[in-house]
């Protein structure tokens, strides 16, 4: 991600195909927010979207559990997959508590997200801070070249300054860039994918696009499949206009699929079936 424009995120918003993706997402979000169920039962839709979003994010991290299993379980200790699902659930619950901090201190939020995700599973001195030179990264599903610690620190600071300065870019563009950059950097020793997708959620909520958090992009990322996710992310890592636009469009489609999921929840609530 490199540009000399004063508002680089806004510049990305004008890439070919991106305005159409932004418009499509906005229309989809507006439709679900206009559903009659949202007038009285939006809290139920939010809760269900959180559960389904957590399941989707965990699936992309290698724990592809059935939704009903996620709903049923109370103990997420033990095996690796259970811990991954537990981390995804904790992150989703935490996201809404960090909205007011994000615009002032994104790095503080990212540190908190990693602390929540790790849940005591990593050495204390490695939790909640970017990795140091020579420290390993446990992120087996992301095979892109791993930036060094100095590059990570510099790019994290650059991303933070972009968020703090504000941007005229659409929420979808900002969310996609935050998500993609965190995946590319893998700044922590573990749980980077889960943290990146939670940061995407925070941007979508905090921007006002999805203030009630009922459009879980994680659902759409999982539904499109890990191969498509990694292919689109590969486009982001190229830094080319086409690759960046393809990643933003992929994230947009993921939001639309999340909208479709929550629309189905609304319909079920309306029928009294959920």
């Amino acid at each position: 991600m490199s540009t000399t424009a004063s508002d680089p995120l806004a510049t990305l918003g004008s890439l070919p195909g991106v305005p159409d993706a932004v418009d499509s997402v906005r229309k989809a979000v507006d439709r679900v927010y206009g559903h009659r169920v949202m007038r009285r039962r939006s809290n139920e839709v939010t809760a269900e979207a959180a559960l389904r979003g957590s399941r989707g994010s965990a699936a992309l991290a290698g724990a592809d559990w059935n939704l009903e299993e996620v709903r049923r379980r109370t103990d997420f200790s033990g095996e690796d997959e259970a811990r991954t699902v537990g981390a995804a659930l904790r992150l989703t619950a935490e996201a809404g508590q960090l909205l007011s901090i994000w615009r002032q201190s994104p790095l503080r939020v990212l540190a908190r997200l990693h602390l929540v995700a790790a849940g005591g599973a990593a050495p204390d001195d490695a939790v909640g801070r970017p990795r140091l030179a020579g420290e390993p990264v446990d992120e087996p599903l992301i095979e892109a070249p791993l930036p060094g610690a100095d590059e990570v620190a510099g790019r994290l600071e650059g991303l933070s300054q972009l968020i703090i300065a504000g941007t005229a870019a659409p929420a979808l563009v900002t969310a996609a860039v935050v998500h993609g950059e965190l995946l590319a950097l893998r700044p922590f020793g573990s749980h980077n994918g889960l943290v990146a997708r939670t940061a995407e959620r925070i941007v979508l909520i905090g921007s006002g696009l999805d203030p009630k958090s009922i459009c879980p992009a994680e659902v759409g990322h999982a539904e499109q499949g890990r191969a498509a996710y990694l292919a689109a992310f590969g486009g982001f890592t190229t830094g080319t206009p086409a690759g960046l636009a393809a990643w933003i469009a992929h994230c947009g489609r993921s939001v639309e699929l999340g909208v479709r999921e929550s629309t189905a929840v609304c319909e079920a609530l309306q029928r009294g079936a959920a």
Side-chain angles (χ1 to χ4, degrees):
M1 187 179 62
S2 60
T3 177
T4 58
S6 58
D7 189 349
L9 295 178
T11 301
L12 296 179
S14 64
L15 291 174
V18 172
D20 289 340
V22 168
D23 185 57
S24 183
V25 165
R26 167 54 69 187
K27 289 178 179 176
V29 171
D30 286 347
R31 283 194 298 272
V32 72
Y33 269 84
H35 197 286
R36 61 186 302 178
V37 163
M38 289 296 295
R39 299 173 196 165
R40 293 179 297 172
R41 305 182 70 178
S42 63
N43 288 343
E44 293 172 71
V45 181
T46 296
E48 190 64 20
L51 184 71
R52 296 181 186 217
S54 299
R55 193 217 73 83
S57 191
L60 288 170
D64 192 1
W65 284 18
N66 180 280
L67 180 63
E68 293 311 313
E69 176 66 9
V70 178
R71 197 190 304 279
R72 181 188 67 81
R73 284 284 285 266
T74 56
D75 181 8
F76 295 96
S77 61
E79 71 270 26
D80 288 346
E81 287 194 3
R83 289 198 298 270
T84 296
V85 174
L89 289 165
R90 291 193 301 272
L91 284 170
T92 300
E94 187 75 10
Q97 310 303 313
L98 299 173
L99 297 174
S100 63
I101 305 172
W102 175 254
R103 284 295 300 275
Q104 285 74 43
S105 184
L107 297 184
R108 181 179 164 196
V109 169
L110 293 175
R112 175 61 184 170
L113 291 177
H114 186 246
L115 182 67
V116 169
D124 289 347
D125 65 350
V127 173
R129 63 155 174 79
R131 55 188 166 84
L132 303 177
E135 289 185 334
V137 174
D138 181 14
E139 204 72 42
L141 301 178
I142 304 295
E143 298 180 353
L146 189 67
D150 288 344
E151 182 180 351
V152 168
R155 286 170 63 177
L156 276 179
E157 181 61 29
L159 183 64
S160 175
Q161 290 306 313
L162 284 176
I163 300 301
I164 293 170
T167 177
L172 171 64
V173 173
T174 304
V177 169
V178 167
H179 181 171
E181 188 73 345
L182 291 174
L183 273 187
L185 294 177
R186 280 147 290 163
F188 302 109
S190 62
H191 301 98
N192 290 287
L194 294 174
V195 168
R197 289 184 288 276
T198 305
E200 178 186 46
R201 172 184 282 267
I202 288 172
V203 174
L204 293 172
I205 299 169
S207 66
L209 177 65
D210 181 23
K212 294 183 182 294
S213 191
I214 61 167
C215 307
E218 305 97 321
V219 167
H221 287 305
E223 185 171 333
Q224 292 184 85
R226 191 178 300 155
Y229 181 72
L230 294 177
F233 170 62
F236 177 87
T237 63
T238 68
T240 64
L244 291 168
W247 170 249
I248 294 168
H250 180 88
C251 291
R253 179 59 180 157
S254 295
V255 175
E256 291 186 66
L257 290 170
V259 167
R260 187 177 71 179
E261 189 88 352
S262 287
T263 300
V265 171
C266 287
E267 295 294 332
L269 288 170
Q270 185 168 284
R271 293 191 305 268

